[in-house]
Amino acid sequence: MKRYCNSYFRVDTQRVIENYRKVQEYIGPSTGIIPVVKGNCYGYGIIPMAKLYKNCCGAEIIACSAMQEAVDLRNAGLEGEIVVIGGIPQHLLDGAVEYDLQIPLFEEKTAYRIQELTSSSEPVKVHIKIETGMNRLGIRPGEDLERLLTLIKTLDRIEVVGVYSHFSTSTSDYNDPFALIQCERFRSAVEQIRQAGFKPKYIHCCNSAAIAWFKDAYFTHVRSCTSLLGHVAMEDGREPIGLMEPLEIGAYITNIHHIDTGESIGYSRAFFADRPMDIATISVGFGDGFYPKWFRSQGPVLINGQRTHFLGCCMDQSFADVTGLECEIGDKVILIGSSGDERITTWDMEQFCGNTFEFLYGTIGTRVERIYI
């Protein structure tokens, strides 16, 4: 069925597949990839991207952050292993049983709750989350972990299939000192779990940034989203894998009009012209989920191979300076991607807005049509 959308978010799926192949070659054949699709796959669309990773890339397990995300994937027909890596409210734990999901375990209350919920012959599969320095979720190695492991041994409805943690500073620099400390804490926890008689299949702590430099922390699997989507993970722009950005974000010109010196545009007269100008109205605004600073701070935009900039935005529309440019109503406007010899990358916009792409794209709403080619 045709959709009538004012703007689009287009994904070149072949580039995503190629990125997956490059990451696999980079980490080597003995390490698996766990694609992360949380937050609507960072704006890319959780269901299409999960199916792409599963059916076209061969991913054996998919990670998301919330129970509803995992349930949506199951209801969309995604088979295979799905692990929820975020915290789960107690009243939602029954979803792990009903939808055959793997979930995090790092405290005793959840362990007891799982035991109560499970009446079938199949236990709930869990990944033990280790607290190594993020101080968000997890259990510390040593006495705390030992008590949890002892409890799990008394409960026959829990199967430990994984153990994981998360770096808080791996994007900062190669060989970041705190990331090294976190890895050693995680390594000690893994050894403690093995000494207790457990044999986890999935041992993972590397995110995309750590994949770039922390080969000693690969363990059995790495978790990747940024790298599979072709975006730079390191804060200084380093990207050693040779990834390709698969994304184009665009909208359309719906009006072009002239204003004179001293005239204003937008609510509260947000922009005043210091010279005669031609203004294009663009079919996208902050109501589509775009970060307002992108438009209101005069972020770059491409029109017919020409680089210009936004002048402001409303909820559903925005303004761009097209003075002296060749354009007309109906022309395409590129927010991310190429037009002629010009290009705007996700990295460019991360630097301009001072936010990562997860923030910039993860809030983009359903009015922006997702297109997969």
Side-chain angles (χ1 to χ4, degrees):
M1 182 175 65
K2 180 179 179 180
R3 297 194 67 209
Y4 292 84
C5 296
N6 286 356
S7 55
Y8 65 88
F9 187 110
R10 189 174 71 190
V11 181
D12 185 333
T13 59
Q14 189 57 47
R15 285 194 170 189
V16 176
I17 294 169
E18 183 65 14
N19 287 337
Y20 195 102
R21 182 190 64 80
K22 288 184 176 183
V23 172
Q24 188 65 74
E25 289 181 352
Y26 189 80
I27 63 177
S30 62
T31 303
I33 298 173
I34 303 177
V36 180
V37 297
K38 66 179 183 176
N40 198 29
C41 196
Y42 301 79
Y44 277 67
I46 184 170
I47 291 171
M49 295 304 295
K51 288 184 175 181
L52 178 68
Y53 293 140
K54 172 69 176 176
N55 300 329
C56 300
C57 300
E60 63 174 329
I61 181 171
I62 302 290
C64 57
S65 187
M67 182 64 73
Q68 186 61 56
E69 294 174 335
V71 171
D72 287 345
L73 290 174
R74 281 287 188 246
N75 287 336
L78 190 76
E79 300 178 350
E81 305 289 3
I82 301 174
V83 57
V84 180
I85 57 176
I88 302 175
Q90 291 289 302
H91 69 284
L92 302 181
L93 288 171
D94 60 325
V97 178
E98 183 176 356
Y99 292 94
D100 185 24
L101 305 173
Q102 300 179 16
I103 62 174
L105 180 62
F106 49 88
E107 41 76 30
E108 295 182 0
K109 185 173 183 178
T110 295
Y112 284 120
R113 180 63 177 154
I114 293 171
Q115 185 73 11
E116 294 172 357
L117 288 170
T118 310
S119 58
S120 66
S121 59
E122 295 297 325
V124 171
K125 297 177 181 179
V126 303
H127 293 228
I128 298 177
K129 177 65 182 292
I130 304 301
E131 172 52 60
T132 60
M134 188 73 167
N135 282 312
R136 183 171 57 183
L137 298 174
I139 189 165
R140 296 177 186 272
E143 294 182 2
D144 293 346
L145 178 57
E146 191 63 36
R147 281 194 297 271
L148 180 61
L149 296 174
T150 300
L151 172 62
I152 293 173
K153 290 180 180 180
T154 69
L155 306 176
D156 60 357
R157 302 290 87 198
I158 295 176
E159 179 185 357
V160 176
V161 299
V163 53
Y164 72 113
S165 190
H166 190 69
F167 292 121
S168 61
T169 58
S170 62
T171 64
S172 300
D173 194 8
Y174 287 15
N175 299 308
D176 175 80
F178 191 63
L180 299 177
I181 292 172
Q182 283 191 266
C183 184
E184 286 310 306
R185 292 171 179 171
F186 182 68
R187 196 181 304 277
S188 69
V190 171
E191 181 60 26
Q192 186 177 351
I193 290 169
R194 286 173 169 162
Q195 289 293 325
F198 297 96
K199 299 178 180 180
K201 177 181 180 180
Y202 305 105
I203 304 174
H204 47 108
C205 64
C206 279
N207 57 2
S208 288
I211 289 171
W213 64 270
F214 206 171
K215 294 182 181 293
D216 289 342
Y218 286 172
F219 294 93
T220 68
H221 291 75
V222 296
R223 296 190 306 274
S224 177
C225 180
T226 301
S227 53
L228 299 183
L229 299 178
H231 300 310
V232 175
M234 298 301 296
E235 293 174 10
D236 61 5
R238 278 179 287 183
E239 195 286 283
I241 305 176
L243 304 169
M244 299 180 293
E245 184 161 59
L247 179 63
E248 181 177 290
I249 300 177
Y252 302 92
I253 295 176
T254 56
N255 190 32
I256 298 175
H257 54 285
H258 181 82
I259 63 174
D260 291 322
T261 303
E263 287 195 79
S264 62
I265 61 173
Y267 289 115
S268 303
R269 311 190 73 188
F271 175 83
F272 284 87
D274 61 1
R275 66 190 189 282
M277 301 178 70
D278 292 324
I279 307 298
T281 303
I282 313 299
S283 59
V284 68
F286 66 79
D288 297 291
F290 287 89
Y291 185 40
K293 182 179 178 181
W294 193 333
F295 302 155
R296 289 176 175 168
S297 296
Q298 302 190 13
V301 66
L302 306 179
I303 301 175
N304 296 333
Q306 306 158 102
R307 182 177 290 261
T308 184
H309 57 274
F310 285 106
L311 296 173
C313 72
C314 306
M315 185 172 186
D316 312 299
Q317 300 165 87
S318 52
F319 309 97
D321 179 6
V322 294
T323 307
L325 301 188
E326 295 183 5
C327 60
E328 61 184 39
I329 292 173
D331 283 351
K332 185 183 295 185
V333 176
I334 301 298
L335 284 70
I336 297 291
S338 298
S339 180
D341 295 330
E342 295 284 349
R343 179 169 178 79
I344 299 172
T345 67
T346 295
W347 171 255
D348 294 332
M349 291 316 303
E350 287 180 320
Q351 300 310 295
F352 180 84
C353 294
N355 290 102
T356 64
F357 89 97
E358 297 96 326
F359 183 92
L360 298 177
Y361 299 166
T363 57
I364 295 176
T366 56
R367 291 201 309 189
V368 181
E369 183 178 15
R370 269 56 171 192
I371 302 171
Y372 305 90
I373 62 170

